Amino acid sequence: VQLQASGGGLVQAGGSLRLSCAASGRTFSIYGMGWFRQAPGKEREFIAEITRSGGSVYADSVKGRFTISRDNAWITVTLQMNSLKPEDTAVYYCAARGLGSSGRRQDYEYWGQGTLVTVSS
């Protein structure tokens, strides 16, 4: 499975950005796709995931501001980020897993390249 992330950029606080992750290859093996982020000097943290059954889960820090969605073909996953804050500044990574637990970093077998999101105050 290959993952290609896109959509990062620079935005002012309170603004919005949309990230996309396109999957290719053995996508039938994917059960969950989601996003992590890593700010400078910090560990990579879970942000959101959507599963093949349509369920979604979010980190408390983004709940109510970010929305994850997917197309029915299970090829593209989108993260809509609203009401962005400077503390949302990070490199965002798309990730996919088969079995395992939602949000547990070590369960994600496939990773895309990061895309930088910068939120200015």
Side-chain angles (χ1 to χ4, degrees):
V1 174
Q2 295 79 43
L3 303 176
Q4 180 72 38
S6 61
L10 173 65
V11 65
Q12 288 189 331
S16 298
L17 277 177
R18 180 180 296 178
L19 305 182
S20 292
C21 179
S24 60
R26 299 167 60 92
T27 57
F28 63 84
S29 67
I30 297 173
Y31 181 74
M33 284 181 67
W35 294 89
F36 288 71
R37 69 185 181 189
Q38 187 166 17
K42 295 188 177 181
E43 292 195 355
R44 194 170 298 187
E45 63 172 348
F46 171 77
I47 296 301
E49 182 195 71
I50 189 164
T51 65
R52 186 173 288 276
S53 61
S56 58
V57 61
Y58 298 91
D60 288 343
S61 59
V62 305
K63 205 171 291 183
R65 300 189 297 122
F66 291 10
T67 302
I68 191 169
S69 60
R70 63 170 176 85
D71 65 352
N72 289 333
W74 199 233
I75 294 176
T76 302
V77 170
T78 299
L79 184 69
Q80 178 67 42
M81 305 186 295
N82 298 329
S83 302
L84 283 161
K85 305 174 182 180
E87 51 263 44
D88 293 318
T89 294
V91 177
Y92 283 69
Y93 295 90
C94 174
R97 65 175 178 91
L99 300 176
S101 299
S102 174
R104 194 164 71 175
R105 180 180 169 182
Q106 60 265 40
D107 288 346
Y108 291 79
E109 305 165 64
Y110 310 105
W111 292 83
Q113 87 289 3
T115 185
L116 178 62
V117 171
T118 303
V119 184
S120 62
S121 57

